[in-house]
Amino acid sequence: MSVAALVPAAGRGERLGGDVCKALREVRGEPLVVHAVRSLQASTDVALVVIAAPAGHVDRFEAVLGAAGSGSRGAGRLRPVWLVVSGAETRQGSVARALAALSCADDVEIVLVHDAARCLVPVEVVRRVVAAVRAGADAVVPVVPLVDTVKQVDGDQITATIDRDRLRQVQTPQGFRRDVLVRAYAAAGAHQAGDDAGLVERIGGNVRVVAGHAEAFKVTGPLDLLVADAVLRTRTP
Ligand code: CTP
Ligand code: MG
């Protein structure tokens, strides 16, 4: 079963700040989107990657991804099996556009959706997700346990302490049977789910979890860039 990955990378990165969009911010000399595509391509299962860039930035993204395919920098060249499309105002809209672009690849049966911002996801997570879809799940979500106690509040009053044993934090790549993801997006209409698997839950799909990884964290604020830099140092001999 052939695998494609969709990479929503069209966000502005308001919480990170800076004058370029988040996916073009660099860690150890390369943009987050390049790290993200390389992390996915570390799994040889991934035959095609479709990246949703901010509107008006498609050429720029093609240039940085092209440079990572021909240059010798970083942890290895990208394989030239990626395609950049123009993203949308919401993440869900950006994924929908990338999914529409998959119409050029009839043979793809498994689709991963992976945030560019989770640029350092270890290959073992990608492999676990693909394996669980192959084993029969409609959708697969990598998760990690919560580390902090969770409270429910009303203004400045605590109203409950939530039992966190059954709660999980959700990461990407999330994996899907292609036909299920297409149906879930078609059924979504104007409904905005928190994540792609949420759209499959809405249509009654079988959604499984597998173990995520601390290094699949999402670059959200400035501290995360420092962490990403440190993680990459540990990987470079
Ligand atoms: N994303 C997207 N299209 C959007 C918004 C987000 O493709 N309209 C992507 C981001 O580029 C990112 C992923 O969805 O890879 C997760 O979003 P998030 O971490 O929230 O990134 P941003 O929206 O860029 O950040 P912020 O919310 O701080 O502006
Ligand atoms: Mg956002």
Side-chain angles (χ1 to χ4, degrees):
M1 285 197 267
S2 180
V3 181
L6 313 180
V7 178
R12 279 183 278 274
E14 272 161 19
R15 287 168 289 182
L16 184 59
D19 23 305
V20 292
C21 66
K22 182 160 77 179
L24 293 180
R25 289 291 292 275
E26 293 192 357
V27 180
R28 298 192 69 72
E30 288 193 305
L32 297 191
V33 67
V34 169
H35 289 294
V37 174
R38 184 179 291 120
S39 297
L40 290 164
Q41 289 191 344
S43 163
T44 50
D45 281 328
V46 177
L48 171 68
V49 184
V50 183
I51 300 114
H57 284 63
V58 170
D59 292 354
R60 182 85 194 278
F61 273 56
E62 285 175 348
V64 299
L65 289 160
S70 54
S72 56
R73 288 233 305 271
R77 292 180 180 190
L78 298 189
R79 285 184 272 127
V81 280
W82 47 262
L83 170 74
V84 183
V85 299
S86 187
E89 273 306 302
T90 63
R91 180 189 179 283
Q92 197 170 305
S94 297
V95 173
R97 290 198 180 171
L99 185 58
L102 263 195
S103 57
C104 69
D106 287 345
D107 56 322
V108 168
E109 289 171 67
I110 294 176
V111 179
L112 306 179
V113 183
H114 181 59
D115 291 329
R118 294 185 190 275
C119 55
L120 300 184
V121 61
V123 67
E124 67 199 69
V125 178
V126 182
R127 290 194 185 123
R128 272 199 286 274
V129 170
V130 170
V133 181
R134 287 205 163 117
D138 288 331
V140 177
V141 178
V143 297
V144 289
L146 277 65
V147 290
D148 295 320
T149 300
V150 176
K151 303 280 190 190
Q152 181 177 297
V153 297
D154 182 4
D156 64 359
Q157 290 296 307
I158 287 175
T159 53
T161 300
I162 311 293
D163 175 8
R164 67 176 191 215
D165 283 358
R166 294 175 63 185
L167 298 181
R168 297 290 182 272
Q169 293 193 157
V170 167
Q171 300 182 325
T172 72
Q174 297 186 355
F176 305 88
R177 274 179 41 194
R178 179 189 186 159
D179 59 321
V180 172
L181 188 64
V182 167
R183 266 196 288 126
Y185 263 81
H191 175 85
Q192 293 283 323
D195 66 345
D196 308 288
L199 294 177
V200 175
E201 291 161 40
R202 262 183 104 232
I203 61 166
N206 154 28
V207 184
R208 273 198 50 195
V209 297
V210 294
H213 195 289
E215 292 179 12
F217 69 99
K218 184 157 69 82
V219 172
T220 303
L223 177 65
D224 299 316
L225 283 181
L226 298 178
V227 176
D229 185 279
V231 169
L232 276 176
R233 273 174 206 274
T234 68
R235 293 182 186 177
T236 318

